[in-house]
Amino acid sequence: MKLTIRRGGERGLADHGWLRSYHTFSFADYYDRAHMGFRALRVINEDRVQPGQGFGAHSHRDMEIISYVLEGALQHKDSMGTSSIIRPGEVQRMSAGTGVTHSEFNASTEELVHFLQIWIIPARPGGKPGYEQKAFPAAERRGKWRLVASPDGRDGSVTIHQDVGLYTSLPQAGETLHHELAAGRHAWLHVARGEIDLAGEKLAAGDAAAISDAPGVELTGRDASEVLLFDLA
């Protein structure tokens, strides 16, 4: 097994006052040639947005963008006419395709929004822009993996235009989770909260690991945790 640990404290950091953002991979003014992405996974930003603040209208194209809220509520609006609120346990997928303009805002006057912004390079450029949002109750993620994004939308997951399966789980202390990897597949594991053990390594919130040449991924929770697993071609 080839295992590469990416420690949370080594990530890029952009602190704009209203926004504090940790970049797992190169993004905006943070550039690290050793961390440009992993397979089709291009961006994982851990963002904390202060009350009453947010990202003004801006445009994207040819990217699958997933928002995964950990705390608070994120208000979304886009040029497709979508207006929604994303809360913990919900996954938003926006396919930028040929081009879309959107804004993300923390409408609360008291609570910050803590969320992961994930970008995946689509299999083909120039697709039709699209939006999807689904809720995945905690009960479906306790002690097991829950598929939340996939290329075929199976098991009620949101549909992304790339050969990537995104799973999430809420392992408790002492619980072990296993995910099989098909031949030639790779995995990226991101710890959103808590601590886990992975192949003899302790991973804490913000830490991540790239896994290749392995039959699967096995982890054990050290405390109440929240983890995301990307199964990639």
Side-chain angles (χ1 to χ4, degrees), residues 143-157:
K144 57 188 174 183
W145 292 111
R146 176 59 165 104
L147 182 68
V148 300
S150 68
D152 55 5
R154 66 185 184 279
D155 298 332
S157 59

Side-chain angles (χ1 to χ4, degrees), residues 123-142:
R124 291 174 296 278
K128 181 181 178 181
Y131 182 92
E132 194 175 8
Q133 181 177 332
K134 291 188 176 182
F136 300 93
E140 297 181 4
R141 296 178 285 140
R142 290 197 183 103

Side-chain angles (χ1 to χ4, degrees), residues 8-154:
E10 299 172 351
R11 296 175 294 176
L13 172 62
D15 192 343
H16 302 286
W18 65 272
L19 167 69
R20 188 173 175 86
S21 181
Y22 285 96
H23 307 323
T24 295
F25 304 115
S26 295
F27 185 84
D29 293 333
Y30 169 64
Y31 175 77
D32 182 344
R33 62 187 298 176
H35 297 97
M36 297 299 296
F38 182 72
R39 315 301 294 182
L41 180 58
R42 178 61 187 84
V43 168
I44 301 180
N45 290 346
E46 181 182 3
D47 293 343
R48 289 176 173 86
V49 181
Q50 292 299 312
Q53 301 291 328
F55 304 87
H58 59 286
S59 299
H60 298 282
R61 63 177 299 134
D62 293 328
M63 197 66 68
E64 301 292 292
I65 301 172
I66 296 172
S67 296
Y68 187 92
V69 175
L70 296 164
E71 299 173 75
L74 187 66
Q75 184 180 72
H76 168 92
K77 293 183 179 181
D78 62 44
S79 55
M80 296 176 285
T82 309
S83 180
S84 66
I85 302 291
I86 312 153
R87 296 181 172 85
E90 298 180 334
V91 174
Q92 174 212 74
R93 182 271 301 169
M94 186 177 72
S95 297
T98 53
V100 67
T101 299
H102 74 121
S103 63
E104 311 290 336
F105 189 71
N106 181 1
S108 173
T109 59
E110 300 176 354
E111 297 182 339
L112 62 73
V113 169
H114 179 197
F115 76 106
L116 298 177
Q117 179 185 166
I118 299 160
W119 293 11
I120 295 171
I121 300 168
R124 291 174 296 278
K128 181 181 178 181
Y131 182 92
E132 194 175 8
Q133 181 177 332
K134 291 188 176 182
F136 300 93
E140 297 181 4
R141 296 178 285 140
R142 290 197 183 103
K144 57 188 174 183
W145 292 111
R146 176 59 165 104
L147 182 68
V148 300
S150 68
D152 55 5
R154 66 185 184 279

